[in-house]
Amino acid sequence: MVSRGTDRAETFRALHRGRPPGDPLVLPGPWDAASARVFVDAGFPALATPSAGVAASLGYEDGSTPAEEMFAAVARIVRAVDVPVSADVEDGYGLPPQELVERLLGTGAVGCNLEDSTRGVLKDPARHADWLAEVRAAAGDRLFVNARVDTFVCGEPDPERAIERAALYVAAGADCVYPIGAPVDVLPRLRAGIEGPVNVFARTGDAPLDEQLTELGERGATRVTFGPGLQRRTAQALGEIAAELRR
């Protein structure tokens, strides 16, 4: 019998398949249960939590959330909605692959983002690929693994370096690759050089979002996420309301 978790993971995996150019899978990033419900009520078929957004909601700086609190926050989000939820768990918090997988599955998440840098320093790609392979072996089909490639945000702008890392991670079993911070003009090169789905980051303060999403899809994005952008935009709107109250 297929478990509910495996079934949901397959539902999430299927959302990435056969997407035409210009129509990427859009995954809003909820930072708490209330925001998750807003996105689901708007009709989104799946969600992807941002670690920085969750950190802000818990009163932490990005990268400083204790693992226990991050997993608990993800569990609250999953419990609040009836769609698949993928969780950004940074670099895995130093947990062994088996434990990391068990903790993720315990939240009800169907996927995860895993970074290949720690505190701004890139990890050795071969060793990281070996670690990802262990995560895949422990998870089987129960988790959709989104392997983040941090070359662009760590000062290596050559897209070939990202493509090299992506190839290792896909070979290790990653379902999707996320070259975070990649300039829009290099997306076609990344799309041509990377096997499988590509996650692209959308900046909420730039061009109108609908136009930006179409452009990112046409340039090679299979799916689009927003990092903490939606949480920060919401906080800005709340600040404007608060300022009105003080007049």
Side-chain angles (χ1 to χ4, degrees), residues 1-13 78 83-85 104-111 139-144:
M1 177 180 291
V2 178
S3 72
R4 180 173 180 269
T6 302
D7 191 49
R8 275 202 163 187
E10 179 53 32
T11 297
F12 185 65
R13 193 171 278 112
V78 172
V83 302
V85 177
L104 279 164
L105 294 174
T107 69
V110 301
D141 292 332
R142 296 176 295 173
L143 287 175
F144 183 99

Side-chain angles (χ1 to χ4, degrees), residues 18-81:
R19 305 205 69 88
D23 182 30
L25 173 62
V26 179
L27 297 175
W31 52 95
D32 60 13
S35 59
R37 286 175 174 154
V38 168
F39 295 135
V40 171
D41 288 347
F44 289 96
L47 307 173
T49 70
S51 61
V54 173
S57 76
L58 297 173
Y60 292 103
E61 295 296 322
D62 184 21
S64 299
T65 309
E68 289 287 343
E69 294 195 45
M70 183 63 75
F71 288 120
V74 171
R76 287 192 293 271
I77 290 169
V78 172
R79 188 168 60 245
V81 297

Side-chain angles (χ1 to χ4, degrees), residues 3-228:
S3 72
R4 180 173 180 269
T6 302
D7 191 49
R8 275 202 163 187
E10 179 53 32
T11 297
F12 185 65
R13 193 171 278 112
L15 290 171
H16 296 74
R17 298 181 185 134
R19 305 205 69 88
D23 182 30
L25 173 62
V26 179
L27 297 175
W31 52 95
D32 60 13
S35 59
R37 286 175 174 154
V38 168
F39 295 135
V40 171
D41 288 347
F44 289 96
L47 307 173
T49 70
S51 61
V54 173
S57 76
L58 297 173
Y60 292 103
E61 295 296 322
D62 184 21
S64 299
T65 309
E68 289 287 343
E69 294 195 45
M70 183 63 75
F71 288 120
V74 171
R76 287 192 293 271
I77 290 169
V78 172
R79 188 168 60 245
V81 297
D82 59 359
V83 302
V85 177
S86 182
D88 183 348
V89 288
E90 304 181 71
D91 64 354
Y93 307 112
L95 296 172
Q98 183 68 46
E99 182 179 353
L100 175 62
V101 168
E102 290 173 358
R103 299 290 296 276
L104 279 164
L105 294 174
T107 69
V110 301
C112 59
N113 274 15
L114 294 170
E115 304 169 5
D116 68 348
S117 70
T118 298
R119 300 189 183 282
V121 178
L122 287 167
K123 298 180 180 181
D124 177 83
R127 284 200 292 270
H128 186 62
D130 288 343
W131 182 78
L132 286 174
E134 292 183 50
V135 172
R136 167 55 67 212
D141 292 332
R142 296 176 295 173
L143 287 175
F144 183 99
V145 177
N146 188 34
R148 210 177 88 172
V149 178
D150 288 358
T151 51
F152 293 101
V153 295
C154 288
E156 291 194 16
D158 185 351
E160 299 307 318
R161 302 290 79 77
I163 290 170
E164 290 168 2
R165 285 176 175 260
L168 289 172
Y169 304 160
V170 170
D175 296 283
C176 184
V177 175
Y178 180 15
I180 188 171
V184 172
D185 60 357
V186 306
L187 292 181
R189 175 67 192 105
L190 295 175
R191 174 64 283 169
I194 294 174
E195 181 181 349
V198 176
N199 188 145
V200 175
F201 173 75
R203 302 181 185 279
T204 57
D206 292 349
L209 280 175
D210 57 345
E211 297 176 9
Q212 188 182 171
L213 295 174
T214 298
E215 180 185 12
L216 292 177
E218 291 173 344
R219 287 177 177 262
T222 309
R223 77 182 214 179
V224 175
T225 54
F226 303 88

Side-chain angles (χ1 to χ4, degrees), residues 31 35 39 228-241:
W31 52 95
S35 59
F39 295 135
L230 299 175
Q231 181 271 327
R232 290 173 180 170
R233 187 165 171 177
T234 301
Q236 181 181 4
L238 186 59
E240 293 169 359
I241 294 171

